[in-house]
Amino acid sequence: MSGARVPVVAYLDIDTDDPHLTGWECDHCGAVFLDRRVACPSCTSADLTARRLADEGTVHAWTIVHRAPANVRTPFVAAIVGLDGGGIVKANLVGIDADPAAVYCGQRVRLATYPVGVDSAGTEAIGFGFEVEA
Amino acid sequence: MAGDVWVVGAAMTKFGRYPDREAVHLGGEAARDALADAGLSIRDVGAVVAGCMIEPNMAGQLVLRQIGQTGAPIYNVVNGCATGGTAVRTAVMAVKAGECDVALAVGMEKMGKAGLLGVSTRRSDAPFEPSGPYGAVMPLEGVLGTNLMPGWFGMTGSEYAYQHDGVGFEQFAKVAEKNHAHSTLNPLAQYQKPFTLAEVMDAEMISYPNTLPMCSPTGDGAAAVVVVSGAKLRTLGLDQQARAVKIAASVITSDPYADGCDVRLDVNTLTRRAADQAYEAAGVGPEDLNLVELHDCFATAELCHYDNLRLCEPGGAGDFIDSGAPWRDGRTPVNVSGGLLSKGHPIAATGVSNVFEITTHLRGEAGARQIDGARVGMAHVLGGGVAGGWASVVHILEKAAV
C-alpha cells in the first residue's frame, strides 16, 4: 500500500486536517461554481477567486436511487445540497435510512469525508457526503 | 397568411423495437411518408433538418441516401431530448427567413435496449487519474449522488412536492396511470397496456418517486414533418390547403444562469419562458388549448410542466391531476398519444412526433384517439445533457381557417 490519498473530485480539499469543499466565486456578482470558468456565467466578469465553501447546508432536492448500473450499490439517497453562504453540490446523504420518511427538502446537513475506493497502486480516493445534523 | 409557416405533411413510424433496421431507414420512411402526406416530393424540399441524438452522424445525408439524394442544404441538429423539436424549429426558421419555400424536419433514433441513460458505467482498478472539468478520479454515480435520468427527475419532483401543497407520490403516479390509459387508443404507441393506479404505485421503484411505469422506455422510431411558406401553400391543391395546420408559434429557449444550475435541475424557468413566448406569439392563452403533448420523460416531469406551461393555477399541478383535467375527456387533454411514458421516447423522434400528433388531431384524422373539434394545440419538448444544459421547444399549432 502506498498510503497515498487523492480527492474523488478536485473541489474537495483533503490536504488539511480539516477537509472541505472549495469553489470559485465571481468578484463582481458573487456567483459560486465548482470549476474554473473562462468567465462568470451569471454576469460575464472574468474576475474569479477560489474560496472555501461551508461545511453546513440544506437539502434542496432528493431521491432514493434503487436501480443503477451493476457496480453501484443501491439503494442510496442522492441529494442536491445548498451550502450556507453559497455553492450548490450533488452528493449522497449518509448515515440515514434509504426511506422517503427519513429525508426531506429543507433538512440541515453537514459535510463528511470518507474513503470511496482504492486503485491498483494502493492509492485511496477520498469522497464526501452529507450527514443529517443532530 | 403571407408570413406564416404551415405544416402540410406529417408522419411517424410506430415507436417500438426495430432490431433489423437502422435509424436512417426509420427516418427515411417517416420522411417519405410525410412528403407523400403533403403531396410533395423530396425534389421539392429546399432545406432538410435532421435530428439524431445517438448515431449516426450526418443523419440527414444518410436519410437522403435512402429516399433521394438531391443535394439540398442539410442541417443536422442535436439538442438532447429536445433534438426533434429543434429540428422542427430550424425548418420553420429556414422558411421564415425566406431561404426556401419547403422544408423537411425529420427526427430518428435507434436506442435498442440502452438501459439507464446518463451515466458512465466504466469502473476499473487502473491508477486514479483526474479527468473532466471536476477532476474526477472515478465514475461518480452513487459516489456523489446520482446522474441517472430517473434520479434527476425524481429530485425535480421532490422539489415541486416540497414547494406545493397536495403533491406527493400518488399525484405523480396518477400521471402514469393517465398516459398509459391514453396509449391504449394509439396504434403508433410502443406500449398499449393500461395500469391501475395501484399497479403504478406498487411497481418496481426505479428512483423515488418514479416507479417503472413512471419512466419513459427506450425504443426506436422516427417522425417527420413538412413545412411550407404561405406563398407555397397557395400553389398546393385545395385538399392540402384544407388539411394545412398553421404554426402559430415556434419557440426555443435555453436555461438562463441560476445558482447551482450545473447540479440543480431547473427545468422550469426555460420551459416557462418558452411557453410564455409562444402564447404571446400565437395570441392565445392556456385556456384556448384543446390538447397538449408535453415532455413526460418521467411522471414527475409532466406534473411540473402543468405548472410551467400554465395549464393549471400556479402551484396547482396536484389539484389539476386530481381533478382529471389532463385526461382525454378533461378540460385540457395532455398526452392523449400516451406521451413519452407509453407512446415511447426514441430521443430525436419525440419532438417531431409531438408535432405530428397535434397536427393529426387538428386535421380530425386521429381515429379512435381523436379529440373532437380540436382547433389549437401545443407541442413541448425538453432536452438536457448529463454535464448540464437544457433546451426547451414549444410549438403552438392552429387548425387552418380556410
Side-chain angles (χ1 to χ4, degrees), chain B residues 86-395:
Chain B
T86 304
V88 176
R89 169 74 188 123
T90 307
V92 170
M93 277 204 297
V95 174
K96 263 190 191 293
E99 292 269 335
C100 62
D101 279 326
V102 180
L104 168 70
V106 55
M108 70 212 86
E109 210 71 70
K110 181 167 176 178
M111 300 173 75
K113 295 194 173 182
L116 295 162
L117 298 182
V119 67
S120 163
T121 56
R122 287 177 298 108
R123 185 163 291 186
S124 72
D125 64 352
F128 291 139
E129 189 64 45
S131 71
Y134 301 116
V137 301
M138 61 168 65
L140 298 176
E141 180 63 25
V143 175
L144 293 184
T146 187
N147 218 24
L148 294 163
M149 297 290 172
W152 276 18
F153 283 93
M155 291 191 284
T156 299
S158 80
E159 267 192 297
Y160 193 84
Y162 174 66
Q163 290 161 354
H164 304 291
D165 292 336
V167 178
F169 181 26
E170 184 171 320
Q171 281 65 45
F172 295 125
K174 283 179 177 176
V175 168
E177 178 197 16
K178 170 182 70 74
N179 290 356
H180 287 288
H182 284 171
S183 74
T184 62
L185 299 175
N186 184 0
L188 298 170
Q190 183 165 347
Y191 298 106
Q192 288 126 11
K193 180 176 182 237
F195 292 82
T196 65
L197 181 59
E199 285 171 336
V200 172
M201 296 180 74
D202 292 342
E204 179 192 354
M205 183 59 70
I206 303 298
S207 196
Y208 188 88
N210 287 317
T211 66
L212 185 61
M214 297 165 71
C215 301
S216 56
T218 58
D220 314 330
V225 298
V226 179
V227 297
V228 300
S229 63
K232 179 70 181 183
L233 180 63
R234 281 193 293 271
T235 71
L236 300 180
L238 288 178
D239 178 51
Q240 285 138 292
Q241 292 192 33
R243 293 174 71 243
V245 166
K246 186 170 107 175
I247 298 176
S250 176
V251 174
I252 184 167
T253 57
S254 69
D255 52 328
Y257 180 81
D259 285 340
C261 60
D262 309 301
V263 294
R264 211 180 142 252
L265 292 160
D266 181 10
V267 302
N268 302 322
T269 306
L270 80 162
T271 304
R272 288 177 188 185
R273 285 187 178 190
D276 291 348
Q277 289 174 34
Y279 288 128
E280 174 78 23
V284 303
E287 66 284 358
D288 298 315
L289 301 176
N290 301 120
L291 76 161
V292 175
E293 289 286 303
L294 64 75
H295 201 81
D296 58 323
C297 48
F298 296 91
T300 47
E302 174 161 326
L303 205 83
C304 296
H305 292 320
Y306 294 153
D307 211 334
N308 294 332
L309 299 177
R310 318 295 189 190
L311 306 182
C312 64
E313 296 298 313
D319 287 346
F320 190 72
I321 186 73
D322 283 342
S323 75
W327 282 76
R328 52 173 293 111
D329 59 355
R331 192 182 83 215
T332 309
V334 174
N335 286 332
V336 297
S337 68
L340 282 61
L341 292 181
S342 201
K343 181 181 71 175
H345 183 27
I347 301 172
T350 294
V352 187
S353 79
N354 287 357
V355 173
F356 160 84
E357 184 71 16
I358 299 295
T359 298
T360 303
H361 283 271
L362 299 186
R363 286 167 157 181
E365 298 173 358
R369 69 184 188 284
Q370 175 68 41
I371 296 299
D372 289 333
R375 299 196 62 83
V376 184
M378 172 186 279
H380 158 260
V381 281
L382 174 79
V386 294
W390 295 91
S392 181
V393 183
V394 170
H395 284 94

Side-chain angles (χ1 to χ4, degrees), chain A residues 10 37 63 67 90 92 119-120, chain B residues 125 128 134 142 145 208 262:
Chain A
R37 303 292 170 86
T63 184
R67 199 199 277 189
K90 184 184 286 197
N92 289 7
D119 72 7
S120 56
Chain B
D125 64 352
F128 291 139
Y134 301 116
Y208 188 88
D262 309 301

